[in-house]
Amino acid sequence: TSKLQNSIRMYFKHVRLLQRVWLVSSKLNSFIRHAIYLPVLWEVETEVLAEMMQLPADVARTELQDFSKRFHLARRIADAQQLAIKRDEIRGARDAVAVAKVL
């Protein structure tokens, strides 16, 4: 019975570990989509629309520069990299104590 209990305990530890990895991976995926891809897409779309609507170049450039100042792409990429590192640390952890330290 002891071996069975230990096996079940280890199984649940692995399940919790997988759930934590999945949670962080899901947050990373969502963050990349909403904080990086969508703003970059908006920027490209704005450039195309400005060209198609024949807006003065300085107006479009000013709008895009203002957006770029608020957007902070490099900071967002660094945040995504930190989430990826956290995910990898959790994935590499073998016990619940190590996972708790990462989170």
Side-chain angles (χ1 to χ4, degrees), residues 59-72:
V59 172
R61 190 175 331 116
T62 301
E63 182 66 29
L64 291 170
Q65 286 173 347
D66 289 344
F67 174 76
S68 195
K69 287 177 187 174
R70 291 182 313 230
F71 179 53
H72 303 291

Side-chain angles (χ1 to χ4, degrees), residues 3-19 94:
K3 283 186 177 182
L4 179 61
Q5 288 174 339
N6 286 337
S7 295
I8 291 171
R9 192 173 299 124
M10 286 305 295
Y11 171 78
F12 282 118
K13 282 184 180 182
H14 288 288
V15 168
R16 283 192 298 271
L17 178 65
L18 286 172
Q19 288 172 336
R94 290 288 177 220

Side-chain angles (χ1 to χ4, degrees), residues 42 44-60 63:
W42 179 87
V44 171
E45 182 182 45
T46 300
E47 289 175 2
V48 170
L49 288 173
E51 186 178 309
M52 289 178 67
M53 295 182 67
Q54 299 174 346
L55 287 176
D58 59 332
V59 172
E63 182 66 29

